[in-house]
């Protein structure tokens, strides 16, 4: 199976995902909250189960539990997580749910991922895949910039900007509702999967700074190991290669978002040109150090 693409190895799975699919093919400001499709979640769990090696585990369990308990007590919770493969989210949810700890299983069910529109709109198979998990859908800044650059005229660009604003305002409201329900927001701060040899894909987005202002607490989760590998030069997720691997997801100690942000920004020079980018660069550095520490013993 190692040399097969996910399309080749799991063609029947994707057929079943598509048959079960009910998610909207077009994102509007009225449907940014996308609840998981339980039937598709079961199918995705099977794919994860097939490929994670027996010694895969969660590291820093006490940190996951501390985070969960504080969320349950009423604090708003954010997870910033490394992103190497399209199975990062299904794998961590599976491992939390099957950890043997009822609180971690409940944490798995509370996680709501932030997802870009293209997961719903670009391909029906990808949409069915993404539908396995509860999401709040946003119009990413990177996507808007690309559309504006290719727009035929200024009026078209303005129309797209207004659409993005409506969708993202609705997403903010949806996140507020998630927080009130005790759900946890998970964000991939790089906004894309890391591609070896392309360090820009691992750089955090400056917009992540706004999440630090909106949430009470967070954990930083590093991802070591992957059961899907990106083929160089191929963006289609169905061209990713399936492989078995030992996965370790590690949680940092719980961080008070506003306190961390205030202290770090205060450490910057008064004339720092882009403090928001510096802030997320700092977060990404912590994540990378955590990742490297685990990789050295994996």
């Amino acid at each position: 199976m190692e040399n097969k693409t996910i399309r080749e190895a799991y063609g029947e799975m994707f057929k079943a995902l598509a048959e079960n699919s009910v998610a909207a093919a077009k994102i509007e400001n009225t449907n940014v909250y996308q609840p998981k499709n339980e039937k598709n979640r079961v199918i995705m769990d099977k794919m994860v189960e097939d490929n994670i090696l027996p010694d895969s585990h969660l590291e820093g369990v006490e940190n996951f539990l501390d985070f969960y308990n504080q969320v349950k007590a009423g604090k708003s919770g954010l997870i910033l997580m490394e992103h190497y493969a399209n199975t990062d989210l299904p794998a961590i949810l599976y491992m939390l749910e099957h950890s043997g700890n009822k609180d971690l299983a409940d944490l798995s069910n509370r996680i709501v991922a932030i997802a870009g529109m293209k997961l719903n709109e670009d391909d029906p198979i990808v949409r069915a895949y993404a539908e396995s998990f509860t999401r709040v859908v946003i119009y990413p800044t990177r996507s808007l910039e690309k559309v504006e650059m290719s727009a035929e005229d200024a009026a078209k660009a303005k129309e797209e900007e207004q659409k993005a604003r409506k969708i993202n305002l609705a997403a903010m409201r949806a996140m507020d509702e998630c927080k009130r329900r005790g759900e946890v927001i998970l964000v991939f701060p790089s906004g894309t999967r890391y591609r070896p040899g392309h360090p820009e894909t691992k750089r955090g987005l400056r917009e992540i700074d706004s999440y630090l202002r909106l949430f009470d607490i967070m954990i930083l989760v590093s991802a070591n190991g992957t059961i899907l590998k990106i083929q160089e030069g191929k963006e289609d997720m169905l061209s990713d290669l399936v492989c078995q691997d030992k996965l370790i997801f590690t949680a940092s100690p719980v961080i008070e978002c506003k306190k961390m942000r205030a202290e770090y920004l205060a450490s910057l020079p008064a004339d720092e040109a882009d403090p928001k980018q510096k802030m997320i660069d700092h977060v990404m550095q912590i994540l990378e150090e955590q990742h490297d520490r685990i990789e050295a013993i994996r």
Side-chain angles (χ1 to χ4, degrees), residues 56-68:
S56 297
H57 64 276
L58 301 170
E59 191 79 19
V61 169
E62 69 282 3
N63 298 329
F64 280 111
L65 289 171
D66 184 19
F67 177 74
Y68 168 79

Side-chain angles (χ1 to χ4, degrees), residues 163-207:
K163 175 183 175 182
R165 186 180 296 112
K166 286 181 180 179
I167 288 172
N168 289 339
L169 282 172
M172 292 293 290
R173 288 193 292 270
M175 279 193 284
D176 282 340
E177 291 168 6
C178 289
K179 289 193 286 186
R180 284 196 292 272
R181 289 193 296 265
E183 292 175 313
V184 168
I185 297 297
L186 183 149
V187 182
F188 295 116
S190 62
T192 188
R193 296 171 293 167
Y194 173 58
R195 295 161 182 79
H198 300 273
E200 71 279 4
T201 61
K202 206 171 190 179
R203 193 179 194 205
L205 300 172
R206 70 191 302 275
E207 298 95 298

Side-chain angles (χ1 to χ4, degrees), residues 68-133:
Y68 168 79
N69 287 326
Q70 291 194 47
V71 168
K72 197 173 179 184
K75 291 190 176 180
S76 58
L78 173 68
I79 297 175
L80 295 184
M81 181 173 164
E82 286 191 302
H83 198 14
Y84 288 88
N86 283 318
T87 44
D88 292 335
L89 178 60
I92 190 171
L93 294 181
Y94 175 89
M95 290 171 65
L96 286 166
E97 187 172 356
H98 293 84
S99 64
N101 184 297
K102 63 180 178 60
D103 289 342
L104 294 182
D106 188 36
L107 175 58
S108 176
N109 288 322
R110 289 174 184 248
I111 290 175
V112 178
I114 298 300
M117 291 168 55
K118 71 176 184 177
L119 293 181
N120 272 68
E121 297 190 348
D122 281 7
D123 184 295
I125 298 297
V126 174
R127 178 167 65 251
Y129 182 104
E131 193 176 337
S132 307
F133 315 102

Side-chain angles (χ1 to χ4, degrees), residues 11-22:
E12 288 302 310
M13 180 195 80
F14 280 110
K15 181 180 177 183
L17 289 172
E19 289 173 351
N20 295 335
S21 181
V22 294

